[in-house]
Amino acid sequence: MFDEIMEKFEGSPSQQAVIRLLLERGFSVNDDGRVVSGGIEIPNTGIAREIDVDRRVVDSTTGAILEDPELRQIFQNISQVPSLMDLAPVLDLTVLSVAVDDAEQEGIVSQVTGTLAEHGISIRQTISEDPEFTDEPRLYLITDEDLPGDVITAIRDLEFVRKIELQ
């Protein structure tokens, strides 16, 4: 799906940058063509500054979204999920990032969370990036405690795991 969305803007790398930002941040586009997070409007100038494009690029991108029925449905229904990842250092939480060989393989989340459960590790939050919306999706698990070496080894040894990182 991500590739299909990006193809609609293949002639404009600047508009693709706007689309990528909207998807990454979970920003919606309302009926007036304004970028919003819930009911809060995000100024186009702020979006433009963030990705180093002209404000008019944001305007034209949101206009194109509203004109395309498929894009309109996607971008009027997208929403953010609050993440504990950036708060982890402040709250003394552990973030485990898991990169896999094939993100569309079945059972990835259940095997990783099952491994943590088997070792008595409680999970505060799980975030799984959608392989349709990102090139290298990851699974993030936020826990209350540090992960012992045997748990890290058990997860690293799962057949589909390419790389793990602790934050």
Side-chain angles (χ1 to χ4, degrees):
M1 177 55 86
F2 178 73
D3 291 338
E4 293 172 22
I5 293 170
M6 295 305 275
E7 281 178 22
K8 293 182 184 233
F9 297 94
E10 68 183 337
S12 176
S14 296
Q15 286 187 319
Q16 287 181 333
V18 173
I19 293 295
R20 183 170 276 110
L21 179 86
L22 297 178
L23 290 170
E24 287 174 356
R25 304 282 173 87
F27 293 156
S28 300
V29 177
N30 68 17
D31 288 332
D32 298 325
R34 304 285 186 223
V35 176
V36 295
S37 177
I40 302 168
E41 187 174 320
I42 314 291
N44 286 353
T45 53
I47 292 167
R49 195 176 318 112
E50 174 80 11
I51 55 176
D52 197 27
V53 300
D54 189 278
R55 173 196 54 79
R56 292 173 291 191
V57 173
V58 180
D59 292 334
S60 64
T61 306
T62 58
I65 287 169
L66 293 179
E67 290 173 10
D68 183 297
E70 183 180 32
L71 292 177
R72 183 182 195 119
Q73 186 166 10
I74 291 168
F75 284 96
Q76 288 200 326
N77 290 294
I78 195 169
S79 63
Q80 281 185 309
V81 174
S83 168
L84 293 174
M85 287 194 305
D86 292 335
L87 291 173
V90 176
L91 300 176
D92 199 27
L93 302 174
T94 298
V95 178
L96 171 67
S97 167
V98 181
V100 298
D101 293 322
D102 178 9
E104 295 186 29
Q105 180 177 334
E106 293 178 3
I108 293 171
V109 175
S110 68
Q111 287 187 54
V112 174
T113 58
T115 300
L116 291 175
E118 288 169 9
H119 289 85
I121 305 290
S122 178
I123 300 169
R124 291 276 301 266
Q125 186 175 47
T126 303
I127 299 170
S128 176
E129 294 177 329
D130 189 326
E132 291 284 329
F133 290 117
T134 186
D135 295 329
E136 292 190 33
R138 291 179 175 261
L139 172 62
Y140 298 95
L141 299 112
I142 296 94
T143 66
D144 280 322
E145 55 195 278
D146 292 335
L147 300 180
D150 61 331
V151 174
I152 294 169
T153 300
I155 292 171
R156 188 191 64 218
D157 289 345
L158 294 170
E159 66 184 45
F160 51 79
V161 173
R162 182 170 43 87
K163 176 178 160 184
I164 63 172
E165 295 176 347
L166 288 172
Q167 301 171 16

